[in-house]
Amino acid sequence: MIVQKFGGTSVGSAGPIARLAEIVRAHRDRSPVVVVSAVGGVTNKLFALANQALAGSDTRAEFAALAAQHQTILKELGLPEATIARELGELERLVSGIGLIRELTPRTMDQLASFGERLSVRIVAAHLTQSGTPARAFEAHEVGLVTDGRFGGARPLPESEAAIRAALEGVRECPVITGYIGRDKQGNITTLGRGGSDYSAAIFGAALGAQEIQIWTDVDGVMSADPRIVPQARQVPMLSFAEAAELAFFGAKVLHPATMVPAIEKNIPIRVLNSFRPEHPGTGVVARLSEDQRALKSITSKDRIAVVSIVAAPMLNQYGFLERIADVFARHEIVVDMIATSEVSVALTTDASAKLEPVVEELSRFSEARVLRELAMISIVGEELQSSLRVPARVFARLEALKVRVEMISYGATRNNLCFLVPRERLREVVLELHRELFEA
Ligand code: ASP
Ligand code: MG
């Protein structure tokens, strides 16, 4: 069997959903299990709705627009409005509840955010059934997914694996399962974090021992750079798990970073495909590359980062300094992307959205800590970096010629990845130049 995950644009309106049904049908001899995201843009709208309700604003117009967006899709597919009546009713009550009590806990936010996927599975399953592929909608918890209780960033509990297998064993119809959401042991709805449907697909694929996990999106797979910055970016035919993980962590939007974890554990290949061009082979992600596939793959960047710079009174003899820093970040559950150290200082990068005030306050008890936000991170990924200095030599020669200030160079421990920071205002120019130098020559 295979898992086929369809992202927001692939279920964004009636046309794409009809195409989804064709894609599922084309693979029917491989017994697809379908995982879907919310209709494109809906999760953002749910977050906006929540905040509006919290602020006490009138949300009726926004709720009506969201309902109409889904009803339009149903109508265009020739499906009855009743398909999603229950979910819409529940959503409306929840939003008015938030408006009444003017309180929005992470738990309530996850419950609200879950409606995107809970609505889309109903529509997709109804359309599949109507178009000749008998299907059944499931919320992930109904088919065995149990998570911890970290709202907004939940992780599956180990018992999910056997439960998923048992739950889906007797299902004859094509299962259409919510991405992004789960439930904890108490039955509270949780979410796996934004973009988490890819991760859901990998969790189900690993539990079921799938032959392949297909991630259907709206581009031809992974690109050698963000096409919005580099119009000449090329499609990448093949990545290793390690390369894909680096790319996902360092800013490529195509795959959620956690996706590779279950796939690596069970050695299940992933394929990123374009639902608007299903005949394109997309990008394969596999455990091991052949010699000629171990090339340079992609250049990614993140401009929403924060750098925490920490200076200690001479670090000399202060064994345990790094450990104390790591401990502060770990306790505040801040994910660190990159780290550079010297005798007296440590610099770390995190996502710009990380809540750093309490971290800086704690660090200030034993060091001088501050947050810089004017830098951007560039990351060059490919297993070629393991075998030669061609890439770093050319990168730094170009940067020198461009007179770009470079900070925090990291030539990753596995050397799949060359990473550094440049001033934010020069990011686009540098990415364009380095792409030309490394991929277009
Ligand atoms: N709908 C969720 C989001 O927008 C999950 C996903 O699309 O992967 O973040
Ligand atoms: Mg996504």
Side-chain angles (χ1 to χ4, degrees), residues 5-9 36-44 47 113 116-117 179-181 193-200 256:
K5 178 260 171 177
F6 293 88
T9 45
V36 295
S37 291
V39 171
V42 165
T43 309
N44 283 343
F47 274 84
E117 276 70 12
Y180 182 50
I181 67 170
R194 295 306 307 271
S197 297
D198 299 340
Y199 186 29
S200 305
H256 184 277

Side-chain angles (χ1 to χ4, degrees), residues 228-439:
R228 284 164 304 181
I229 302 179
V230 184
Q232 313 87 296
R234 299 192 214 143
Q235 198 265 348
V236 178
M238 199 58 99
L239 291 171
S240 65
F241 285 138
E243 289 173 335
E246 301 277 9
L247 281 173
F249 273 113
F250 289 103
K253 289 275 145 36
V254 193
L255 280 175
H256 184 277
T259 312
M260 265 60 71
V261 177
I264 291 172
E265 255 167 43
K266 295 283 168 72
N267 192 11
I268 299 173
I270 299 174
R271 187 162 284 280
V272 183
L273 292 147
N274 187 350
S275 71
F276 295 80
R277 221 148 67 98
E279 66 286 357
H280 193 286
T283 298
V285 188
V286 296
R288 217 169 289 285
L289 298 174
S290 63
E291 211 41 58
D292 59 315
Q293 290 167 336
R294 308 184 72 199
L296 198 63
K297 297 300 164 62
S298 186
I299 169 168
T300 61
S301 57
K302 253 190 191 177
D303 73 341
R304 291 193 27 76
I305 64 160
V307 180
V308 185
S309 142
I310 306 154
V311 182
M315 217 166 121
L316 207 65
N317 294 333
Q318 283 201 27
Y319 58 85
F321 181 60
L322 267 178
E323 212 173 302
R324 284 179 81 177
I325 294 172
D327 174 61
V328 175
F329 279 82
R331 269 187 291 105
H332 290 273
E333 301 189 348
I334 306 273
V335 179
V336 172
D337 285 331
M338 195 178 159
I339 182 162
T341 63
S342 77
E343 199 64 31
V344 293
S345 71
V346 178
L348 306 113
T349 72
T350 70
D351 198 80
S353 63
K355 289 193 183 60
L356 292 170
E357 294 77 15
V359 174
V360 169
E361 195 197 295
E362 256 192 68
L363 291 170
S364 299
R365 290 178 207 154
F366 59 91
S367 68
E368 208 175 282
R370 62 204 175 99
V371 179
L372 315 169
R373 296 191 182 268
E374 72 281 10
L375 294 162
M377 177 161 61
I378 293 181
S379 177
I380 297 168
V381 173
E383 291 193 2
E384 178 184 339
L385 285 160
Q386 293 174 0
S387 56
S388 96
L389 286 171
R390 178 188 81 100
V391 175
R394 290 176 73 171
V395 166
F396 293 115
R398 267 332 286 154
L399 292 170
E400 163 76 5
L402 290 168
K403 298 205 175 358
V404 178
R405 200 180 85 231
V406 177
E407 293 187 40
M408 277 187 76
I409 299 164
S410 148
Y411 198 6
T414 51
R415 291 205 288 139
N416 292 324
N417 184 356
L418 174 66
C419 216
F420 48 87
L421 306 185
V422 300
R424 236 180 132 178
E425 72 273 9
R426 302 205 61 183
L427 177 64
R428 283 181 163 263
E429 169 204 0
V430 170
V431 170
L432 263 171
E433 265 302 307
L434 291 181
H435 191 275
R436 189 170 307 145
E437 174 74 23
L438 298 170
F439 293 92

